[in-house]
């Protein structure tokens, strides 16, 4: 019996939907399993996605296919990533980075591209045209891998992080001239409808100017209207529309969609809704970037690697070594210290996702064979997989070098002061400067090598070492110190270590910055001269200022402050005695418990 008209199409649609759901479930399951495993092993999420994709892809288990289609969709995650980065960059900061973007970035792309082109031509035997296309493709690093690493570790605003961002931004911009170069070298019949290089450059400048104008006079006012409506869903839709619209404009002009998304982010960087936009877009960015790296793993042709393992491995090593050496040298030339430059070199040593795009164009231009594209696709993936290991290596080398060299002195070289301050972060800086205001001798100790270098730029001598170690404190003069102030992070300040310090140096007043209420409870019972939660005082001051701003008198605000401090101290004492965070929870101001006329806590009257 014949199927009803359209029944076959309907059945095909159901089959496609079922296949899509099944593929999505397998990919999410692989991501969950391998990213969790690799995170636990300290190898990073990116490598977990790539290995997970390789396992479920057509060359291992064959559970999911269509890697190219998945990659083409998930590449939008790169656009979302650059949109978020753009939100963090106002035009003044971009102007400050112009030397790194158009100086360091341009020199890196050209120098690394030519060096890798020479390797492809003279060592691997490609023609000079194919070698140039391959070398320039491999000169680009992975924006999708490096930027999340910098953001997660808080390094994006450090000197090497800013230079890495500048180089990556220039690389994204360079996609247009590199595509033009490949078109000029093409052996395929010319496309009469394709725009020329000069036209593409004019399109790029015009599109950027157009996006800035639209953002200033259309998008920003539009977000103000949505903000007044208070509809969260509209914010999500508007945020995605902004990114998609900017990317679509660039795509329509044949330009980089990632660059369009970045410009969209920059034009909203000074918007009062910047943080809401970032929080709305972030989940989509995370998911799509995860799918992108899964698709990279799925496209990893293990057959090519198995057929020519030595070639793939040596090519990957060659790319990483050449780029690391050259970018490290450029980092030094642009003002980074040795370890900052080396960190920059290793961070950008991999080939990136845009290499896949340029190699595909090279194949269409009949410069590189399909087998060559598969080979270098495997090489690119291998270089990307090496980056987490290289960053672990530089972390280890930096710690070992700082411990063993005289470049960063230990506290044995310090003049013996009255006070030792352990930890020279934002908290320790304030404490130490207040002591220095009264000419008190302070010995500063920290184990963050980059922070030590930064402090030296401002004229402060910070000595390298772990300030929780008794032997190091002795060399810093702790046996004669009047006070030892621990301003370092919570993972370093344990009850046992502080107790050992107090026993070893009984003459010194021990003062501690605790992280939160639980940390303060853990430290209870120690003979501490002072212990304060790191945000407690600033929160109390803001609450007091808010009361006066709302029309309450200074006396009323001070009475609330005194009563709150008293209740909080009472709660903390009860919590420490019982070990129960919920102890004395009735001693808190709440909606139904306010401060009475006598200044004491009392239930609020019904209807008050």
């Amino acid at each position: 019996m014949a199927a009803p008209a359209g029944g076959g199409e309907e059945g095909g649609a159901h089959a496609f939907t079922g296949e899509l759901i099944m593929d999505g479930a397998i990919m999410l399951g692989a991501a969950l399993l391998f990213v969790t495993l690799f995170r636990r092993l300290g190898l990073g999420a990116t490598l977990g996605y790539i290995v997970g994709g390789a396992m479920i892809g057509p060359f291992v288990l064959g559970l999911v296919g269509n890697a190219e289609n998945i990659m083409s969709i998930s590449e939008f995650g790169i656009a979302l990533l650059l949109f978020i980065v753009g939100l963090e960059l106002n035009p003044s900061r971009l102007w400050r980075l112009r030397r790194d973007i158009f100086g360091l970035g341009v020199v890196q792309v050209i120098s690394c591209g030519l060096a890798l082109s020479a390797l492809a031509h003279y060592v691997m035997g490609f023609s000079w045209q194919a070698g140039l296309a391959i070398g320039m493709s491999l000169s680009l690093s992975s924006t999708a891998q490096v930027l999340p690493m910098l953001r997660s570790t808080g390094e994006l605003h450090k000197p090497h992080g800013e230079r890495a961002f500048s180089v990556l931004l220039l690389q994204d911009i360079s996609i247009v001239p590199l595509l033009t170069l490949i078109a000029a070298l093409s052996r395929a019949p010319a496309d009469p409808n394709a725009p020329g290089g000069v036209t593409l450059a004019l399109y790029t400048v015009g599109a950027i100017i157009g996006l800035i104008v639209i953002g200033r006079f259309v998008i920003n006012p539009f977000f103000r209207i949505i903000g007044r409506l208070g509809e969260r869903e509209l914010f999500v839709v508007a945020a995605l529309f902004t990114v998609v619209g900017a990317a679509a404009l660039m795509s329509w002009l044949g330009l980089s969609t990632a660059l369009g998304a970045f410009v969209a982010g920059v034009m909203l960087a000074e918007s009062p809704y910047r943080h809401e936009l970032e929080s709305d877009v972030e989940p989509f960015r995370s998911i799509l970037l995860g799918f992108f790296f899964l698709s990279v793993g799925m496209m990893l042709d293990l057959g090519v690697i198995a057929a020519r393992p030595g070639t793939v491995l040596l090519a990957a090593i060659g790319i990483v070594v050449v780029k690391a050496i050259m970018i490290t040298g450029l980092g030094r030339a642009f003002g980074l210290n040795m370890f900052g430059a080396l960190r920059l070199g290793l961070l950008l040593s991999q080939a990136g996702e845009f290499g896949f795009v340029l190699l595909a164009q090279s194949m269409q231009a009949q410069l590189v064979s399909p087998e060559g594209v598969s080979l270098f696709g495997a090489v690119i993936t291998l270089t990307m997989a090496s980056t987490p290991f290289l960053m672990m290596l530089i972390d280890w080398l930096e710690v070992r070098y700082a411990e063993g060299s005289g470049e960063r002195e230990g506290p044995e070289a310090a003049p013996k002061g009255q006070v030792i301050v352990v930890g020279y972060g934002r908290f320790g800086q304030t404490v130490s400067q207040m002591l220095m205001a009264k000419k008190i001798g302070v010995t500063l100790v920290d184990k963050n090598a980059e922070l030590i270098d930064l402090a030296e730029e401002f004229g402060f001598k910070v000595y390298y070492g772990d300030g929780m170690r008794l032997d190091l404190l002795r060399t810093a003069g702790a046996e004669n110190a009047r006070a030892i102030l621990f301003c370092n992070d919570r993972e370093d300040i344990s009850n046992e270590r502080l107790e050992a310090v107090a026993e070893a140096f009984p003459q010194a007043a021990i003062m501690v910055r605790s992280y939160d209420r639980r940390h303060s409870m853990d430290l209870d019972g120690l003979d501490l001269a002072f212990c304060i939660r790191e945000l407690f005082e600033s929160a109390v001051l803001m609450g007091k200022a808010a009361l006066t701003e709302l029309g309450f008198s200074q006396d009323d605000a001070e009475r609330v402050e005194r009563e709150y401090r008293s209740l909080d101290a009472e709660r903390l004492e009860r919590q420490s005695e019982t070990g129960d965070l919920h102890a004395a929870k009735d001693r808190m101001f709440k909606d139904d418990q306010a401060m009475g006329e006598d200044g004491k806590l009392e239930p609020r009257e019904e209807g008050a």
Side-chain angles (χ1 to χ4, degrees), residues 559-560 562-563 589 594-603:
R559 285 173 62 209
V560 172
R562 286 194 300 270
E563 182 63 12
F589 291 127
M595 195 172 75
E597 293 297 326
D598 58 355
K600 298 299 181 183
L601 181 68
E602 65 178 28

Side-chain angles (χ1 to χ4, degrees), residues 542-597:
M542 181 177 283
K544 182 178 174 183
L547 287 172
T548 57
E549 189 68 26
L550 292 171
F552 292 91
S553 69
Q554 188 71 21
D555 288 343
D556 279 346
E558 289 174 356
R559 285 173 62 209
V560 172
E561 177 189 3
R562 286 194 300 270
E563 182 63 12
Y564 174 77
R565 289 180 183 274
S566 174
L567 291 171
D568 185 76
E570 181 184 342
R571 284 181 61 224
L572 186 57
E573 182 179 358
R574 293 267 299 277
Q575 289 168 330
S576 300
E577 289 173 354
T578 62
D580 180 10
L581 189 65
H582 297 88
K585 64 181 182 181
D586 59 322
R587 309 299 292 159
M588 300 171 68
F589 291 127
K590 304 176 187 175
D591 285 341
D592 57 351
Q593 289 189 146
M595 195 172 75
E597 293 297 326

